[in-house]
Amino acid sequence: MARTVIIEEHGGPEVFKIVDREVGDPGPGELRIRHEAAGLNFIDVYQRTGLYPMKLPAALGMEASGVVEAVGEGVTHLKEGDRAAYAAQPPGAYCEARVMPAAQVCKLPDEIDFDTGAAMMLQGLTTQYLFHRTTPIAKGDTVLFHAAAGGVGLIACQWAKSEGIRLIGTAGTDEKCQLALDHGADACINYREGDWAARVQELTDGKGVHVVMDAVGKDTFEGSLSSLRPLGMMISFGNASGPVPPFNIGELGAKGSLKITRPTLFTHIADHATCQEMAAMLFDKVVSGDVKIRIDQRFALEDVAEAHRTLEARKTTGSTVFTL
């Protein structure tokens, strides 16, 4: 049996329940993992609220780390006793142990502790696809990154710095802006103070940025388009302020033949080999010290509602984990 966080209806943090669930044995292509820590991400909020509808009742959580207890037939990249971490579907990481598909579970290097492993997978693999699998970004290019002091943001600041990419961040307080700067951002704009899109133009001598990486959504969408140079790429990869409303696609032409995409991590990691390659690059960045995973919040599993309230209020910085 394993304590597991579930929801039986969509709604606010009050809908969470903790139940005991039987874990069972892995079937073909599966493994059983005993968790040491699990990560908290905005996708968990979207699933809880019903923005991303789920078949109910459902367990939540998309990433965790722990020790493999058993593997099913056909699983060759992991074995019993291996340290492992993952960001993967289906949800269910908010638990002490689970049986799950093995393909997106990755062997965790000994140099990376379990808390870091749980905090880095979804956000780190997201950063990897943003910089390497979405649109070409060359050394010297300029990227605008919203919520630069969040979990993905702080990884992105360091990632950009390690590859010679200029990153302009935005954040909601001067303290958060300083945090982004401390992690490698070349500049960071407090979006609560004046016209941040105009400030982006100032910082780029009126040219605009090559790429915008925007997980905020509704509140930043128009300004993000206005921050791009002609032929620039808008990567809208989240909805922290709410979904982007419908817009006239003709605006892309009027603003300079812009491009836009709405990727998801789980498309990128659906192929087993690709997922493992992406994880290997992420692990190399962390082990080398180019990227340090900052964990600023830790919660016990029974405090899951408080954790979600804190995240939704944008009171978090860096990554957040549940300790198990």
Side-chain angles (χ1 to χ4, degrees):
M1 304 296 288
R3 287 190 309 151
T4 304
V5 174
I6 66 166
I7 59 171
E8 296 177 331
E9 59 182 325
H10 293 298
E14 70 279 357
V15 301
F16 284 124
K17 294 183 178 181
I18 298 180
V19 299
D20 288 323
R21 278 189 166 183
E22 188 172 348
V23 179
D25 295 319
E30 295 181 332
L31 58 74
R32 185 172 71 239
I33 184 168
R34 176 71 52 178
H35 289 152
E36 295 287 339
L40 171 67
N41 296 281
F42 249 104
I43 190 173
D44 308 343
V45 174
Y46 304 153
Q47 291 171 343
R48 189 204 75 224
T49 61
L51 180 62
Y52 295 173
M54 304 173 70
K55 184 178 179 180
L56 302 175
L60 288 194
M62 304 300 292
E63 69 176 344
S65 65
V67 177
V68 176
E69 290 189 329
V71 299
E73 180 183 351
V75 177
T76 58
H77 69 293
L78 290 164
K79 64 183 186 303
E80 181 182 343
D82 279 347
R83 304 170 75 253
Y86 65 85
Q89 294 178 321
Y94 291 3
C95 67
E96 294 173 325
R98 67 185 295 202
V99 168
M100 63 181 294
Q104 280 68 48
V105 182
C106 306
K107 188 171 182 179
L108 187 67
D110 291 340
E111 298 93 333
I112 301 175
D113 63 65
F114 285 118
D115 279 10
T116 302
M120 69 186 281
M121 294 301 290
L122 192 145
Q123 296 167 350
L125 291 173
T126 296
T127 305
Q128 198 278 343
Y129 85 66
L130 289 173
F131 282 91
H132 290 275
R133 292 179 53 83
T134 308
T135 190
I137 304 176
K139 183 177 181 180
D141 283 355
T142 302
V143 167
L144 173 63
F145 198 102
H146 291 296
V152 181
L154 293 183
I155 297 172
C157 289
Q158 298 171 80
W159 200 292
K161 189 78 169 180
S162 74
E163 298 187 352
I165 296 163
R166 183 188 184 203
L167 187 144
I168 299 171
T170 69
T173 67
D174 290 343
E175 292 77 13
K176 286 187 174 183
C177 283
Q178 188 59 54
L179 192 58
L181 293 170
D182 292 344
H183 283 74
D186 289 271
C188 194
I189 304 163
N190 185 338
Y191 62 78
R192 299 186 190 278
E193 297 180 354
D195 186 342
W196 59 263
R199 181 65 180 139
V200 172
Q201 292 297 328
E202 292 175 10
L203 289 168
T204 58
D205 298 323
K207 296 177 180 177
V209 301
H210 296 85
V211 180
V212 175
M213 300 176 180
D214 187 347
V216 175
K218 176 173 64 70
D219 290 352
T220 52
F221 183 74
E222 289 295 332
S224 291
L225 291 181
S226 298
S227 298
L228 285 165
R229 64 179 59 199
L231 304 178
M233 168 65 86
M234 167 73 167
I235 307 174
S236 177
F237 70 102
N239 319 282
S241 66
V244 173
F247 76 103
N248 181 356
I249 196 170
E251 290 184 35
L252 301 179
K255 290 180 179 292
S257 300
L258 304 180
K259 295 162 283 188
I260 187 167
T261 184
R262 179 49 171 102
T264 70
L265 171 62
F266 299 106
T267 307
H268 285 280
I269 64 172
D271 176 72
H272 166 69
T274 300
C275 176
Q276 301 299 318
E277 290 169 6
M278 292 171 65
M281 178 180 283
L282 171 61
F283 293 152
D284 285 346
K285 290 279 190 186
V286 173
V287 172
S288 71
D290 283 344
V291 170
K292 295 179 173 62
I293 306 300
R294 182 180 174 120
I295 303 171
D296 286 342
Q297 298 81 212
R298 287 178 169 84
F299 292 90
L301 200 61
E302 54 265 29
D303 296 325
V304 60
E306 180 188 351
H308 272 236
R309 291 189 185 98
T310 303
L311 181 64
E312 288 181 276
R314 301 193 194 182
K315 294 180 179 179
T316 65
T317 53
S319 298
T320 303
V321 298
F322 297 102
T323 55
L324 301 166

